[in-house]
Amino acid sequence: MAASVAAAAGRLGRAIRRSPSWPGFRGLSSEAPPTQAAAVRDAFLSFFRDRHGHRLVPSASVRPRGDPSLLFVNAGMNQFKPIFLGTVDPRSEMAGFRRVANSQKCVRAGGRHSDLEDVGRDLSHHTFFEMLGNWAFGGEYFKEEACSMAWELLTQVYGIPEDRLWVSYFGGDPKAGLGPDLESRDIWLNLGVPASRVLSFGPEENFWEMGDTGPCGPCTEIHYDLAGGAGAPQLVELWNLVFMQHNREADGSLQPLPQRHVDTGMGLERLVAVLQGRLSTYDTDLFSPLLDAIQQGCGAPPYSGRVGAADEGRTDTAYRVVADHIRTLSVCIADGVSPGMSGAPLVLRRILRRAVRFSTEVLQAPPGFLGSLVPVVVETLGDAYPELRRSSAQIASLVSEDEAAFLASLQRGRRVIERTLKRLGPSDVFPAEVAWSLSLSGNLGLPLDLVELMLEEKGVPLDTAGLERLAQEEAQHRALQAEPVQEQGLRLDVHALGELQRQGVPPTDDSPKYSYSLRPGGGYEFSTCEAQVLQLYTEDGTAVASVGDGQRCGLLLDKTNFYAEQGGQASDRGYLVLVGQQDVLFPVARAQVCGGFILHEVAAPECLKVGDQVQLHVDEAWRLSCMGKHTATHLLNWALRQALGPGTEQRGSHLNPERLRFDVATQAPLTPEQLQAVEGTVQEAVGRDEAVYMEEVALARTAHVPGLRSLDEVYPDPVRVVSVGVPVAHALDPASQAALQTSVELCCGTHLLRTGAIGDLVIIGERQLVKGITRLLAVTGEQAQQAREVGQSLAQEVEAATARLSQGSRDVAEAHRLSKDMGRLTDAVDTAMMPQWQRRELQATLKALQRRANTAVRKLEMGQAAQKTQELLQRHTEGPLIVDTVSTESLSMLVKVVRQLCKQAPSTSVLLLSPQPLGQVLCACQVAQTARPAFTAEAWALAVCSHMGGKAWGSRVVAQGTGSTADLKAALSAARAYALNQL
């Protein structure tokens, strides 16, 4: 039996991180009917509500609210973080929570906790799952009740035999000074679990932490034995019960929490598999309707649960991928997360495209197949999560639309890979540049991991080192885009420009960059552009007739649809192909204007020569984001004039897909009220979804138009006018005064055709560059929404901190903690991406709160110092010297005691030591006036602290320092000896 237990113990630590495929699984009973998943979920919630008085709360959205550290909600406790952190708004409903239970929608894809790559390869991993949980806040109940409830539910309600359950508990951590959680061990033994099935583990397995800092504590886990006594135990975790009783401080130390909490989590999918006696979570009724629908829709062989080499053709792998991913997509879209280009939307886009590929290539699914599965998901989960039913049509439409777009991209990507493989030798690696070009272009947008997987299937290694280099270059380029500096890219020097003019080469026709339109469904359609290669340049500026073999070069065309960086708008990027040869992509990293010529920075995987005809494709997502930021910049400019006055002038701007920067001349820094008013004006224009009119007109027509915005720069003639909500002809009519009522500007940039696509705008930063010029930073769309949520979350934390401060502190230690909390909250507000007006308001509030907190600390310290002074004076009634130890929480407190002693005994010199945790010792001293100048406090403190291996500082009268020693008596003796020698 010992060997079996040891084997089980070895598997316990891997229970969550790598779930087994459950070989040799023995179900609960061959006769008992399987329990439906919905009934299992309902039984959990009813048990805690009816038997144990828990409040049932709905699942939070999988889109985290006010928590930028998460891409998705990945655990049941996420929504209760404010309670654990003590930041919950005391006036909120959540502040009244004492014992609650729910079934939480969770997504683990992207970020630190991601199961995406494992889905399909085994029988248990999922990107979306349901977490059943119960919580007790503020010590409502703790270990004994939590363990008893869990045992009661599993054995009495679900009927799991007790001899199939094992438990683990925290075995202690000597390095952290934590002993074993014997309380949990004894609770399990008292509940009847045999000692042989109660195992202890260290902090990696049985100590749970929220993050690098914050609430944490030991956990106890309940495991199920799949073997059922037939051979060595095969254990999988069912339920994790976390007992939050410590707080991880910034210095890494652990301190007791003022209030203890219980946080438990049990995966519904795994529990249902156990109760239904299934070999895999995919064999339960949570997935069987989907698997049946997949089989009917594709005509593939029925699902048989095979993995690895046994899964010939990877048919069953595809079943699992599609079934899991359509659940994730449906839940996320219903919660407002749609496939996109960054953050969580980008992860969702990868999930959708992975599902499309497996359904089409492996299962041979027809076009539009994924969208047809949405009603099955809604039928399975809609009763538990009604938002799925409300959004069913929208989910199916979005899934089908993105599926169609990706199928076209996938087809082209496959041709590129096949053609490249034909040119490779048997031992060659797949070129990083080609793989990168597949992912770089917005039109194809193949995730790099998908490219790697496609190559892995063909047994061809990828040049990962080259790929890493390209990724680093892209990251550096993004960093430069975020805060533009003068970039040393490919440029045409004066000699190259002179030669072009001598040859009579006309400037590049870049009017096709404005060739785009709105589709009936609201999306944008960007036209391609066919052009001729006029000239090629090497990186050093030398003109050449041809390039190739991955060479980076400058490309000059007769016309282009690429927007070259100018007017504060970042350059387009994308790719080009040779006309008639669509399967070789030439990535275009950027485009620059050089004397009227547009120079494209291109990587040439194959031969490209002067005279070639090419077709250009812009990265549509990149361009669209720039268009949104540019139109938002115009609205911001107009809103600033509305708030600050018509004389307000722009001093510069820059925008890229991530954010926009706007410099404005101001007499004084903007007030929070002005910032909020500016945002409100922009939001109103966005909400009206006004048309954006663009037209080229004679420059002279713009000379005397009241309210027309322009910069102090040279404009072309004719010049392009951008007008929001009013046709250009009407806006330029001096009698109309329209330019005073809306945004009308001279601008060569690319813009949205309607303002609604901006979504939202939030000013997240403001600083003075020089006196009279203020720089604003702003974000739009999804980022703006996230910034507002973060701001709201921090505002609630500040309100909670205000309430705590108003309650007062019982002792110095609590006052110090509160003061430190104010400092940490101030740091969070200072650095968060949030509305700037709200940041300024919270900073002012926190400044006042910090003053109050510091005042409270000082008052309590003075009172405590007076008490300790009297105790020391009673011990030392006479003599010119007091050398002793005293217990204090801080060096400032120790100095206060020393000063009060010397004030009451002016002829006495005082040195006090205060031992701290981990062997540190604080030191403070003051020398009586009668003993100076021969005897100084600075020298005295230095002598004592040097004895303890530390340091000291101060003046001739008062000094302080620190050190470390285990022998306080020796340190005190050294202090006395030094003083007596000086006296």
Side-chain angles (χ1 to χ4, degrees), residues 250-262:
D251 61 3
S253 64
L254 290 171
Q255 298 295 331
L257 274 178
Q259 290 189 317
R260 303 184 303 180
H261 312 287
V262 172

Side-chain angles (χ1 to χ4, degrees), residues 898-918:
V898 168
R899 286 186 177 277
Q900 290 199 24
L901 273 172
C902 290
K903 185 177 182 180
Q904 297 193 35
S907 61
T908 302
S909 297
V910 178
L911 183 142
L912 298 179
L913 299 179
S914 179
Q916 303 293 305
L918 305 177

Side-chain angles (χ1 to χ4, degrees), residues 36-39 41-42 45 59 62 103-107 126-132 268-269 272 281 284-290 322-335 373-392 395:
Q36 297 296 306
R41 187 193 299 112
D42 290 344
L45 298 174
S59 169
V62 296
S103 178
Q104 172 63 49
K105 299 172 293 185
C106 299
V107 173
H126 305 289
T127 52
F128 165 75
F129 64 98
E130 297 178 69
M131 182 74 82
L132 304 173
L268 174 67
E269 290 77 7
V272 170
T281 52
T284 68
D285 65 324
L286 285 167
F287 286 91
S288 54
L290 270 173
V322 173
D324 171 86
H325 288 7
I326 192 61
R327 281 169 32 110
T328 303
L329 288 161
S330 299
V331 168
C332 288
I333 294 172
D335 278 349
L373 297 177
V374 172
V376 185
V377 177
V378 172
E379 188 62 31
T380 307
L381 298 174
D383 289 341
Y385 309 110
E387 59 274 13
L388 283 166
R389 293 196 186 279
R390 293 193 297 268
S391 307
S392 178
I395 297 167

